[in-house]
Each structure stands twice: as structure tokens, then as C-alpha cells.
Amino acid sequence: MKPGPRILLVDEDPGVLKGLRGLLSDEGFQPVEARSAAEASRLLGTPEGPPDLMLLDLRMPGETGLELLARLPRPLPAPVVVLSGEASPAEAVQALKLGATDFVEKPPSPERLLTALRNALALGALQEERQRLLEELARP
């Protein structure tokens, strides 16, 4: 059986990570956890390559999720869904302008979160296919 998509969970709260890990594992995803933006950056640069998707909390001590999102290379290495219970509307809009595909408020309902993740994965697959086709068309 093919393993499910790898999802990088970036949140400083161990309770949130535990709940997300359980939900996503039950749904066939492979959760990978980071408790800070710095740890997420290290995981994005591993030999395994970037995850299939990143679920990113905006409010964390040290570097925030918004700061991490702003400094990621473009195009983004993976689709990003932002998760936050404290973000202002302006921060949510800024995250979307920086390339996040969706914003989900904490605590998320499982249905809302899973829908956001599946939509982001589908969008990521379409973007990869578009890039592949553009490269194919550019060949002589």
C-alpha cells in the first residue's frame, strides 16, 4: 500500500501536535512535526525533500509562522495551510498573499481541516502538472 502524503505540522503546542498527528494518521497521512520555525526550516532541507504539504501555525515564539512563510523560496516548496487561533484578519490576509492556500482557525473542526488539506494537496498537484507541461513545451 502506498504511503499517504507527508504533512509537516509546525506548531509549538505539544497538545495541538498530538491531536493533529492522531487525526491525520487516522486519515492515512504521514505527519512530521516541528515545534518551531527553525525546526521546520531544517526539516524542509532534509534529503527526503519537502513534504507534500505544510500546516503552519502563525503565532509561535521566536520566528513566527508568518515570518517563516515570508522567507521560504518561491515557488513555495509545498502548499501551505495556515492554522491559528490568535491571528488577526490582517495576518490571515498577509499569509494568503504570501502563498498560503487556506486559513483555518483553531480549534479546527476535523471536516474543515481535512477539506483544507485535501484542497491544498489537489492544488499542489495541479501546479506541479502545470510546471511539467510548461517545461515539456519549452523543449525543442
Side-chain angles (χ1 to χ4, degrees), residues 18-138:
K18 181 180 178 184
L20 291 171
R21 181 178 57 243
L23 173 67
L24 297 177
S25 294
D26 289 348
E27 293 294 320
F29 296 106
Q30 298 177 61
V32 178
E33 298 174 16
R35 293 186 182 201
S36 67
E39 188 177 353
S41 293
R42 283 192 298 279
L43 289 171
L44 288 170
T46 62
E48 288 181 299
D52 298 301
L53 185 136
M54 186 180 345
L55 183 57
L56 178 64
D57 186 13
L58 286 187
R59 295 273 177 103
M60 295 183 290
E63 184 179 22
T64 68
L66 202 55
E67 292 167 336
L68 171 63
L69 186 57
R71 73 174 173 78
L72 288 174
R74 299 297 187 262
L76 291 172
V80 176
V81 172
V82 170
L83 179 68
S84 186
E86 303 171 2
S88 68
E91 288 171 313
V93 168
Q94 183 64 23
L96 294 171
K97 285 181 177 180
L98 288 170
T101 59
D102 205 344
F103 177 86
V104 178
E105 289 189 71
K106 284 182 182 176
S109 75
E111 297 81 19
R112 169 70 176 106
L113 180 62
L114 292 170
T115 297
L117 297 178
R118 288 183 179 121
N119 287 344
L121 287 167
L123 180 61
L126 286 171
Q127 289 170 333
E128 285 177 16
E129 178 68 6
R130 176 185 179 273
Q131 186 60 38
R132 185 190 67 75
L133 290 170
L134 287 171
E135 289 170 5
E136 192 175 303
L137 286 170

